Amino acid sequence: MASSEEQGKPDLHVLIVGAGVTGLIIAQGLKKNGISYSIFESESTGSRPRSREWGMSIHWSRPLLKELLPNEILDKIRDAQVDPTYDTCNPKGYVVPFYNGKTGAHIVDIPMVNAIRVSRRKMRALCAEGIDIQYGKKVVSLEPSESGTAVKFSDGTTAAGSICIGADGAQSAVRQLALPGEEGKALPLNVVLYNLNVSYGDAERSKAVRSIHFMNSVALHPEKNLSIWTSIQDVPDTDKPEDWQFQIMPTWLADGKTHTGGAQGLAELKELAVHLAEPWKSSLLWIPEDTDVTYSSVSYWPTREWNSQNGSLTLAGDSAHPVPPHRGQGLNHGIADAHNFVKVVLDVKDGKKTKDVAIEEYNAELVKRGADEVETSRRNALLVHDFEKFMDSPVLKQGYAKSKVK
Ligand SMILES: Cc1cc2nc3c(=O)[nH]c(=O)nc-3n(C[C@H](O)[C@H](O)[C@H](O)COP(=O)(O)OP(=O)(O)OC[C@H]3O[C@@H](n4cnc5c(N)ncnc54)[C@H](O)[C@@H]3O)c2cc1C
């Protein structure tokens, strides 16, 4: 099989910065279409601590993912799911039920059409199959070069390519190099977010927590500006509920307190539990003391134009449109970016477009779609924490569907 260096035209070589799911899917799409690429990752290895694990619902972007990935990877997506027994061919998908977290009353079911829910860790490992990732390569600077863009890494080495695509996440270095100063920086959102992977180690407790819904649910507290996302995260064996793992993501409007996660975070969550109806109350009280309680600040960046250096520099995924997670859109847009990017680069390879025209076309669509989603998801993240206004939130009005960009 040809290596990435041997594929495509010698003068068309894509540098992908970041081997998160977006960067990896771009690499898979380029490889599938015989386009030369290199992919660089700042982490030293591919294995990450479990605290960075969460589930990601892929819904409206699934047809695009199908076009990008080779069959041998698509065939294994079932196993990358949080529950591999879920039927990936179910076109209806499932619903996300919303409840009043104080009384337990059901509020609404919001459909997630054509959805599957994958583990971030498993999906990264799957999408890395057959991709030669260069680890320990942290991009620190970018310069225009004869061929397009030259990137410099923290270890002093460099790489040159005709197009550099920053898929380096919400705090993207590539974005901040393209837009120096305040313009490229992500902005803080007034929301506290804890993300936990919880194993109760007890069959009855696991079944009680999963009794809300087999996949996912949201509880909103009318007085605490609080939302709790609960979903299944890992089902090693359907018949062994004691081994199931859950993702629990309590979020609330920032209250001026300092949050650190760890033991302090767990104590904070257990204090909140007393205000909740069952089973959310027990789902927090039963969290084992040795659980990793990760606190994250929530940030966003209103997507705007950057200097593309005559079609040599662009962005994709969270780097281009970091959003709060409450509408489940980040990866779906990352997949759309990957799809659009591979399509325009293929046009360059086939001589249908020049590089600057192709990347300008890609950027124009991305900036419009990204800016729209960032604002929609930002608004949504504030409204889901305001019980009175939840009925006006984007997730209630338009569900999980792709926004219709005007
Ligand atoms: C709790 C939670 C739940 C979510 N749920 C959903 C969901 O249900 N559906 C959905 O669509 N989305 C969801 N998302 C969003 C989704 O997880 C992200 O949109 C997606 O993972 C982004 O992938 P990415 O590859 O763009 O970025 P990342 O996963 O952040 O990958 C970026 C990569 O770049 C590397 N990197 C960073 N800086 C450099 C550098 N200078 N040089 C080289 N490499 C670098 C990083 O190490 C990392 O590996 C959720 C997010 C969270 C936090």
Side-chain angles (χ1 to χ4, degrees):
M1 198 170 63
S3 73
S4 59
E5 284 75 19
E6 289 162 345
Q7 295 167 347
K9 283 187 178 177
D11 58 344
L12 181 63
H13 183 78
V14 178
L15 306 179
I16 306 165
V17 181
V21 178
T22 305
L24 290 168
I25 290 174
I26 293 170
Q28 291 286 359
L30 293 175
K31 185 179 174 194
K32 189 173 168 180
N33 286 285
I35 298 165
S36 172
Y37 68 90
S38 303
I39 178 163
F40 305 99
E41 168 57 47
S42 58
E43 287 176 4
S44 52
T45 73
S47 54
R48 307 189 79 179
R50 288 186 76 84
S51 60
R52 293 277 296 159
E53 167 71 333
W54 56 79
M56 302 183 295
S57 304
I58 307 179
H59 31 93
W60 60 259
S61 66
R62 275 188 73 194
L64 309 177
L65 188 63
K66 208 172 164 191
E67 281 183 41
L68 282 162
L69 295 180
N71 287 339
E72 61 270 24
I73 303 268
L74 287 170
D75 289 346
K76 293 189 215 162
I77 280 221
R78 189 183 188 104
D79 296 331
Q81 293 186 102
V82 291
D83 182 350
T85 63
Y86 182 73
D87 177 9
T88 55
C89 299
N90 172 9
K92 277 175 72 181
Y94 43 86
V95 297
V96 180
F98 280 68
Y99 292 88
N100 179 321
K102 183 181 178 187
T103 64
H106 177 255
I107 304 173
V108 64
D109 283 343
I110 303 185
M112 237 193 216
V113 179
N114 199 21
I116 54 169
R117 191 161 174 85
V118 295
S119 140
R120 179 173 183 265
R121 179 174 47 83
K122 290 189 212 165
M123 189 67 180
R124 272 187 94 185
L126 177 62
C127 293
E129 284 187 13
I131 301 296
D132 179 17
I133 303 167
Q134 300 188 39
Y135 288 104
K137 295 287 178 188
K138 180 178 181 184
V139 168
V140 289
S141 71
L142 298 168
E143 267 176 30
S145 74
E146 216 175 288
S147 57
T149 296
V151 296
K152 190 168 180 188
F153 304 102
S154 57
D155 63 4
T157 58
T158 56
S162 28
I163 305 169
C164 170
I165 183 157
D168 52 339
Q171 306 301 328
S172 172
V174 174
R175 184 182 74 227
Q176 294 184 61
L177 290 164
L179 279 170
E182 294 305 309
E183 271 194 305
K185 279 196 185 138
L187 305 169
L189 191 69
N190 224 17
V191 171
V192 174
L193 183 150
Y194 280 101
N195 184 50
L196 289 78
N197 292 300
V198 181
S199 299
Y200 294 106
D202 176 288
E204 293 314 310
R205 289 182 174 189
S206 298
K207 282 195 273 182
V209 174
R210 207 177 181 187
S211 68
I212 319 167
H213 189 266
F214 76 98
M215 189 68 89
N216 45 220
S217 70
V218 180
L220 303 176
H221 196 287
E223 287 137 28
K224 295 279 165 195
N225 298 333
L226 168 72
S227 156
I228 303 184
W229 169 273
T230 307
S231 52
I232 193 75
Q233 182 62 34
D234 196 20
V235 181
D237 185 336
T238 310
D239 298 327
K240 287 193 174 165
E242 60 273 29
D243 294 339
W244 296 348
Q245 194 179 70
F246 294 84
Q247 179 187 347
I248 301 190
M249 188 179 75
T251 60
W252 61 90
L253 288 185
D255 42 18
K257 290 187 197 153
T258 307
H259 304 277
T260 56
Q264 185 242 23
L266 187 54
E268 200 172 5
L269 296 182
K270 293 198 176 188
E271 273 169 35
L272 271 179
V274 300
H275 303 285
L276 296 168
E278 291 292 357
W280 296 278
K281 181 180 192 167
S282 293
S283 75
L284 296 187
L285 290 176
W286 290 336
I287 297 172
E289 293 298 318
D290 60 355
T291 303
D292 198 350
V293 179
T294 310
Y295 163 75
S296 305
S297 53
V298 180
S299 60
Y300 68 103
W301 179 70
T303 314
R304 69 188 65 156
E305 284 175 27
W306 56 90
N307 179 356
S308 78
Q309 300 178 1
N310 299 321
S312 300
L313 183 60
T314 191
L315 302 172
D318 277 13
S319 164
H321 37 66
V323 290
H326 301 83
R327 212 173 82 83
Q329 296 293 312
L331 180 58
N332 285 273
H333 280 280
I335 292 168
D337 302 342
H339 181 265
N340 295 348
F341 179 73
V342 170
K343 191 164 165 279
V344 297
V345 177
L346 193 55
D347 285 346
V348 178
K349 181 187 171 224
D350 292 345
K352 292 183 187 158
K353 282 179 188 144
T354 58
K355 188 181 74 173
D356 52 340
V357 167
I359 296 301
E360 199 178 302
E361 182 185 310
Y362 168 80
N363 285 353
E365 190 278 340
L366 171 61
V367 169
K368 218 169 164 191
R369 176 169 48 83
D372 178 85
E373 187 55 61
V374 172
E375 177 50 20
T376 304
S377 286
R378 186 198 67 83
R379 244 187 91 234
N380 188 65
L382 296 176
L383 295 184
V384 295
H385 296 105
D386 183 337
F387 201 75
E388 297 291 308
K389 296 189 183 147
F390 168 63
M391 289 298 170
D392 293 327
S393 66
V395 74
L396 199 107
K397 295 266 184 202
Q398 59 192 80
Y400 295 96
K402 184 182 177 195
S403 294
K404 289 187 177 63
V405 183
K406 288 166 204 118

